[in-house]
């Protein structure tokens, strides 16, 4: 039954019982006629009774055993005195008011027994049930069967219910069946009150621990096994110690350990709560998530778990060694959970985020493994070490697979996919992004490729680095991929610009830290390839330059030479305008390379155009300007607009 229902029932029964008793003949025989003083005292007494029944739940959390004992004795004395004077004063048959009041008080006592666990509630219930049977027997002996049936019903209903203690955290609801004796109920109630006080301190402890998780740096790591003891008031620890001794002595060792370890579990859940790992998140968000995981591991193993065990050993000192074992099992379960968080990285797609996270965990696990012995017993430490070693092995194999999938992706991806921002190929971007991560974890990757070698990796002269061989192989595949893609473009000039963009990006990333891995010869080789593609691009302007070549045929008449130059100038204007219109929309992301390309074109084109216009003006004279669409300044201005990614129209 819901607590609120019993609370309401007890309150209503108390009001009905007090009201009917005030109108009964029993009240007149015992206390005489009503007067102002009696009315005032009875109202005060009624208010106290109604208040107790309405807020009975609050009284059960009192940790004073003496108070509970005195209250039980007080109730016993009150019922005994009332019974003595009632039997002495009442000989006549009872009226309806006294019967209703006894039934109401019996229901009130029953509702109290469902809410509190002092022990006297059951005795009070039996007292009023006895009064009901006695009153009915005075009216008619046969009515005693009715009273007995009502009493039997309440007694069976009472005995079939379980005493519930549901003060545990969130999903860990524990129902403990205990003897209904006064001593056991008081002991359990006092223990639960201490646990409740301990849990109330979580609101101060959790933010303190989470601050370590959010700001903790491994290089500043110091083991602190007194965090919880220093954070808790000494009164709470002392009360818990004394209550635990009484609990164990009363035979509740198993329940005591279970409840305490459940309280420990609740604190750990709040302190070590992590967001679900999503490899699709942005790099910065993923870095924060992984840093929090690393921090949580170090804080758990270096601060939380040692603190929990030290507090447990102090509370259960000399009483129950099983408690330390149960708390250690809880800590072990949370450690497995943290390791499983890392194990999720063992499966994933070929992405830079996946590679970065896997390498961070692979690099972190040895430090965590070294801490297991200081926190756990030999058995649990050995199992955690084996689990961590297996996860690290799976991560190493997963990292190897990422590089193998990268090779496979480069080999089969023949369709150009250009990044809009800097116009480099997507494969180039992904490869170089992964190689940036290589710079952070060079030694780790050397160890991975040594322990988990990739097949079909040939040797490279002058190097003993497995990582360098692997990187050189990937770069070779990337180069072949880019050259094959460049041939897919219908305009050869754009194919050369595409290669220059990608080679320049690769060289830029290589010179920012990959020289050691790739070698100076590799840098020189690809610098040469970049220059070769620039020369190939320059040759695409040969058709334009051929138009501007001066005819050396001396037998041609001046009129024929003039007409020929007019036609060539017209063709040049048309061709130059078409090329500038197209190549203005192309983009070279590196400013230095862009200027180098434009300067190389300008040197060739401006000199040839100047000679052509000079000869043309000599032949045509003043009318030359009618045919001359571009002056030298116009040519320079149009060349300066090339490769800026401007859209026509």
């Amino acid at each position: 039954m819901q607590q609120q229902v019993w609370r309401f029932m007890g309150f209503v029964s108390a009001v009905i019982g007090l009201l009917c008793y005030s109108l009964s003949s029993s009240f007149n025989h015992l206390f005489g006629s009503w007067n102002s003083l009696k009315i005032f005292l009875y109202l005060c007494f009624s208010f106290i009774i109604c208040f107790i029944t309405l807020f009975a739940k609050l009284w059960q959390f009192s940790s004073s055993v003496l108070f509970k004992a005195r209250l039980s004795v007080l109730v016993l004395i009150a019922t005994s005195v009332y019974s003595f004077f009632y039997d002495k004063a009442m000989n006549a048959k009872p009226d309806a008011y006294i019967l209703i009041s006894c039934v109401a008080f019996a229901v009130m006592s029953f509702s109290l027994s469902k809410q509190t666990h002092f022990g006297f509630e059951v005795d009070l219930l039996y007292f009023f049930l006895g009064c009901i049977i006695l009153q009915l027997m005075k009216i008619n002996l046969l009515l005693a069967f009715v009273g007995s049936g009502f009493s039997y019903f309440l007694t069976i209903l009472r005995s079939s219910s379980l005493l519930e203690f549901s003060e545990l955290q969130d999903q860990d609801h524990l129902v403990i069946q205990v003897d209904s004796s006064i001593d056991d109920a008081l002991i359990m109630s006092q223990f639960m009150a201490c646990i409740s006080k301990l849990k109330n301190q979580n609101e101060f402890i959790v933010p303190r621990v989470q601050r370590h998780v959010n700001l903790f740096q491994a290089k500043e790591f110091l083991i602190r096994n007194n965090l919880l003891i220093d954070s808790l008031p000494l009164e709470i620890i002392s009360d818990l110690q004394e209550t635990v001794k009484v609990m164990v002595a009363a035979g509740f060792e198993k329940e005591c350990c279970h409840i305490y370890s459940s309280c420990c579990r609740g604190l750990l859940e709040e302190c070590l709560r992590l967001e679900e790992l999503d490899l699709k998140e942005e790099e910065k968000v993923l870095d924060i998530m992984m840093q929090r995981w690393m921090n949580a591991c170090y804080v758990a193993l270096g601060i939380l778990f040692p603190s929990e065990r030290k507090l447990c050993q102090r509370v259960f000192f000399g009483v129950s060694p099983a408690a330390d074992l149960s708390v250690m099992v809880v800590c072990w379960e949370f450690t497995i959970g943290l390791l499983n968080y890392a194990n999720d990285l063992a499966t994933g797609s070929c992405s830079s985020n996946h590679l970065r996270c896997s390498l961070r965990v692979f690099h972190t696990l040895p430090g965590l493994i070294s801490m297991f012995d200081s926190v756990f017993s030999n058995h649990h430490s050995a199992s955690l070490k084996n689990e961590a070693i297996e996860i690290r092995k799976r991560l190493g194999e997963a990292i190897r697979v990422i590089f193998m999938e990268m090779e496979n992706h480069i080999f089969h991806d023949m369709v150009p996919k250009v990044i809009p921002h800097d116009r480099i190929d997507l494969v180039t971007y992904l490869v170089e992004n992964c190689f940036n991560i290589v710079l952070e974890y060079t030694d780790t990757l050397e160890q991975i490729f040594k322990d988990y070698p990739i097949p079909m990796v040939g040797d490279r002269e002058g190097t003993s680095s497995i990582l360098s061989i692997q990187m050189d192989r990937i770069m070779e595949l990337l180069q072949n991929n880019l050259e094959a893609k460049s041939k897919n473009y219908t305009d050869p000039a754009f194919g050369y610009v595409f290669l220059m963009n990608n080679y320049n990006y690769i060289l830029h990333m290589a010179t920012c830290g990959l020289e050691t891995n790739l070698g100076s010869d590799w840098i020189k080789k690809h610098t040469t390839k970049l220059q070769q593609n620039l020369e190939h691009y320059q040759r695409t302007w040969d058709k334009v330059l051929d138009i501007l070549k001066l005819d050396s045929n001396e037998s041609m008449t001046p009129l024929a030479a003039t007409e020929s130059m007019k036609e060539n100038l017209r063709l040049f204007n048309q061709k130059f305008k078409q090329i500038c219109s197209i190549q203005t929309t192309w983009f070279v992301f590196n400013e230095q390379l862009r200027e180098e390309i434009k300067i190389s074109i300008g040197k060739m084109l401006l000199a040839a155009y100047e000679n052509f216009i000079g000869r043309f003006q000599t032949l045509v004279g003043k009318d030359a300007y009618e045919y001359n669409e571009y002056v030298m300044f116009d040519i320079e201005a149009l060349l300066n607009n090339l490769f800026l990614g401007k859209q026509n129209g």
Side-chain angles (χ1 to χ4, degrees):
M1 298 294 290
Q2 296 293 328
Q3 291 292 335
Q4 295 298 328
V5 175
W6 291 116
R7 182 183 179 191
F8 176 76
M9 184 181 295
F11 175 74
V12 172
S13 299
V15 172
I16 294 173
L18 290 167
L19 181 62
C20 291
Y21 186 73
S22 66
L23 300 174
S24 68
S25 58
S26 175
F27 183 87
N28 291 329
H29 282 89
L30 285 175
F31 303 105
S33 301
W34 286 99
N35 57 40
S36 300
L37 179 61
K38 291 180 181 179
I39 292 174
F40 174 75
L41 292 176
Y42 192 78
L43 288 175
C44 292
F45 176 76
S46 300
F47 175 78
I48 293 172
I49 297 298
C50 292
F51 180 82
I52 291 174
T53 56
L54 193 60
F55 298 100
K57 189 70 177 176
L58 300 177
W59 293 84
Q60 70 168 329
F61 293 109
S62 174
S63 59
S64 175
V65 177
L66 186 60
F67 167 76
K68 297 173 181 178
R70 288 174 176 174
L71 185 61
S72 299
V73 172
L74 181 62
V75 172
L76 177 63
I77 293 173
T79 54
S80 300
V81 171
Y82 174 80
S83 179
F84 172 77
F85 285 104
Y86 179 81
D87 292 341
K88 187 176 181 180
M90 288 294 296
N91 292 319
K93 291 184 178 182
D95 56 13
Y97 288 117
I98 189 65
L99 284 173
I100 295 174
S101 66
C102 287
V103 172
F105 288 142
V107 175
M108 179 195 74
S109 302
F110 182 76
S111 69
L112 281 176
S113 70
K114 299 295 290 183
Q115 299 179 71
T116 61
H117 314 293
F118 291 110
F120 67 82
E121 305 92 338
V122 180
D123 297 329
L124 196 62
L125 171 63
Y126 293 158
F127 171 78
F128 285 112
L129 290 176
C131 289
I132 293 172
I133 296 174
L134 184 61
Q135 301 296 339
L136 291 173
M137 288 175 66
K138 288 182 179 181
I139 299 173
N140 191 319
L141 288 176
L142 294 177
L143 292 177
F145 292 104
V146 178
S148 300
F150 177 71
S151 302
Y152 180 76
F153 170 74
L154 288 184
T155 303
I156 292 299
L157 186 62
R158 165 63 190 167
S159 61
S160 64
S161 62
L162 296 174
L163 189 61
E164 296 182 358
F165 294 94
S166 53
E167 298 295 328
L168 300 180
Q169 185 71 21
D170 296 341
Q171 300 176 352
D172 190 16
H173 297 285
L174 178 64
V175 179
I176 304 174
Q177 294 184 350
V178 298
D179 196 319
S180 62
S181 66
I182 295 176
D183 292 339
D184 289 351
L186 291 177
I187 292 170
M188 185 62 75
S189 177
Q190 187 176 7
F191 178 67
M192 293 306 299
C194 292
I195 290 294
S196 179
K197 290 180 181 179
L198 181 63
K199 290 168 62 177
N200 289 338
Q201 295 298 312
N202 287 1
E203 61 179 301
F204 307 107
I205 298 174
V206 171
R208 188 175 177 184
V209 175
Q210 287 184 339
R211 186 163 59 249
H212 283 280
V213 173
N214 293 331
L215 303 178
F216 177 80
Q217 296 294 330
K219 61 183 179 181
E220 302 172 359
F221 174 70
L222 291 173
I223 293 180
R224 296 182 57 198
N225 56 6
N226 291 321
L227 176 68
L228 294 182
I229 293 179
D230 294 343
S231 302
L232 292 172
L234 291 177
E235 179 185 355
I236 292 180
I237 299 177
S238 300
D239 290 346
L240 197 55
Q241 282 179 307
E242 295 301 321
T243 312
V244 164
K245 290 179 181 178
V246 178
M247 281 282 290
V248 175
F252 294 116
E253 179 180 1
K254 182 178 179 181
E255 291 83 354
C256 185
C257 295
H258 195 143
I259 294 172
Y260 184 84
S261 62
S262 298
C263 180
C264 165
R265 187 191 304 276
L267 175 64
L268 295 180
E269 284 179 353
E270 291 189 55
C271 293
L272 302 177
R273 186 177 291 116
L274 295 173
E275 300 176 16
E276 185 177 354
L277 186 62
D278 185 3
L279 295 175
K280 297 180 181 179
E281 288 282 1
E282 295 181 1
E283 183 177 339
K284 291 183 179 179
V285 176
L286 206 57
D287 281 344
I288 293 174
M289 293 174 65
M290 291 308 303
Q291 186 62 48
R292 279 183 57 81
W293 173 82
M294 293 168 56
N295 294 351
C297 290
Y298 280 108
V299 168
L301 292 169
I303 298 178
L304 259 183
F305 295 167
S307 297
E308 279 287 5
R309 291 197 63 192
K310 190 165 186 179
L311 176 62
C312 176
Q313 290 167 358
R314 181 166 175 178
V315 170
F316 288 85
F317 178 73
V319 177
S320 174
D324 180 60
L325 178 61
S326 62
V327 170
M328 186 170 62
V329 169
V330 172
C331 296
W332 177 82
E333 290 173 356
F334 272 89
T335 306
I336 291 293
L338 291 171
L339 291 178
N340 287 337
Y341 192 87
N343 190 46
D344 292 340
L345 292 170
T347 57
S349 59
C350 175
S351 66
S352 56
N353 283 345
H354 186 205
L355 177 62
R356 184 187 299 275
C357 292
S358 299
L359 284 168
R360 290 187 71 176
V361 174
F362 189 91
H363 182 73
T364 303
L365 281 176
L368 300 180
I369 293 173
S370 64
M371 300 174 68
F372 291 157
D373 287 335
S374 62
V375 179
F376 300 100
S377 63
N378 293 335
H379 170 70
H380 290 91
S381 176
S383 66
L384 288 174
K385 283 182 180 179
N386 293 334
E387 182 67 21
I389 290 172
E390 283 299 315
I391 291 174
R392 195 166 187 262
K393 180 179 178 181
R394 287 194 289 270
L395 283 173
E397 293 174 348
I399 292 169
R400 181 193 67 168
V401 170
I402 289 176
F403 278 87
M404 293 176 64
E405 288 183 357
M406 187 188 304
E407 290 185 13
N408 188 57
H409 181 67
I410 295 171
F411 185 79
H412 290 93
D413 184 23
M414 291 292 108
V415 180
K417 301 180 185 68
V418 177
I419 304 295
H421 175 65
D422 42 25
R423 307 296 173 87
I424 63 168
D425 192 72
L426 180 61
V427 172
T428 304
Y429 179 79
L430 293 176
V431 170
E432 294 305 317
N433 205 14
C434 286
F435 279 10
N436 282 334
I437 301 171
V438 169
L439 292 176
E440 299 180 42
Y441 300 96
T442 300
D443 295 338
T444 303
L445 281 167
E446 284 282 6
Q447 184 64 39
I448 289 174
F449 288 135
K450 182 178 179 180
D451 295 339
Y452 313 102
I454 297 179
M456 299 176 62
V457 176
D459 193 11
R460 190 177 70 181
E461 185 178 355
T463 181
S464 59
S465 170
I466 302 176
L467 177 60
S468 297
I469 296 173
Q470 177 62 27
M471 292 176 66
D472 191 46
R473 174 180 171 82
I474 291 176
M475 283 299 192
E476 183 179 352
L477 287 171
L478 178 61
Q479 175 187 327
N480 295 336
N481 176 275
L482 294 174
E483 290 181 356
K485 287 178 178 177
S486 69
K487 293 180 173 61
N488 291 335
Y489 295 108
T490 54
D491 190 340
F494 187 79
Y496 298 133
V497 171
F498 168 81
L499 287 174
M500 283 190 287
N501 261 332
N502 284 274
Y503 282 149
N504 184 266
Y505 180 79
I506 293 171
L507 286 169
H508 172 73
M509 300 304 296
T511 53
C512 288
L514 291 173
E515 299 100 324
T516 305
N517 302 98
L518 295 173
S520 57
D521 291 340
W522 189 94
I523 302 293
K524 291 178 182 178
K525 174 183 176 182
H526 284 77
T527 302
T528 302
K529 283 188 172 293
L530 178 62
Q531 291 299 319
Q532 288 174 349
N533 280 282
L534 176 57
E535 293 172 4
H536 291 322
Y537 170 75
Q538 291 171 351
R539 293 194 187 100
T540 61
W541 285 82
D542 286 351
K543 292 182 180 180
V544 178
L545 295 174
D546 289 343
I547 296 173
L548 297 177
K549 285 183 178 180
L550 299 176
D551 196 343
S552 59
N553 188 358
E554 297 179 354
S555 62
M556 184 179 294
T557 62
L559 180 60
T562 301
E563 291 300 325
S564 175
M565 293 191 72
K566 286 181 181 180
E567 178 62 20
N568 285 349
L569 185 59
R570 185 187 67 80
L571 290 174
F572 171 80
N573 292 338
Q574 179 183 357
K575 190 70 174 177
F576 182 68
K577 182 177 182 180
Q578 180 184 6
I579 291 176
C580 289
S581 176
I582 294 173
Q583 297 192 12
T584 299
T585 63
W586 298 353
F587 182 70
V588 175
F589 77 93
N590 184 272
E591 184 177 354
Q592 182 178 350
L593 177 62
R594 185 167 63 242
E595 292 302 318
E596 184 180 353
I597 297 173
K598 290 191 289 189
I599 290 172
S600 66
I601 299 170
K603 285 181 180 179
M604 298 184 302
L605 186 62
L606 290 173
Y609 187 73
E610 185 178 13
N611 290 335
F612 183 88
I613 292 300
R615 176 71 182 276
F616 183 71
Q617 288 176 344
T618 302
L619 291 174
V620 178
K622 295 180 180 180
D623 296 335
Y625 293 102
E626 296 180 9
Y627 303 96
N628 189 7
E629 186 174 342
Y630 301 107
V631 297
M632 296 294 291
F633 178 80
D634 295 331
I635 298 292
E636 291 180 359
L638 287 170
L639 290 178
N640 284 331
N641 285 329
L642 297 181
F643 314 119
L644 294 177
K646 295 181 178 180
Q647 298 299 319
N648 292 328

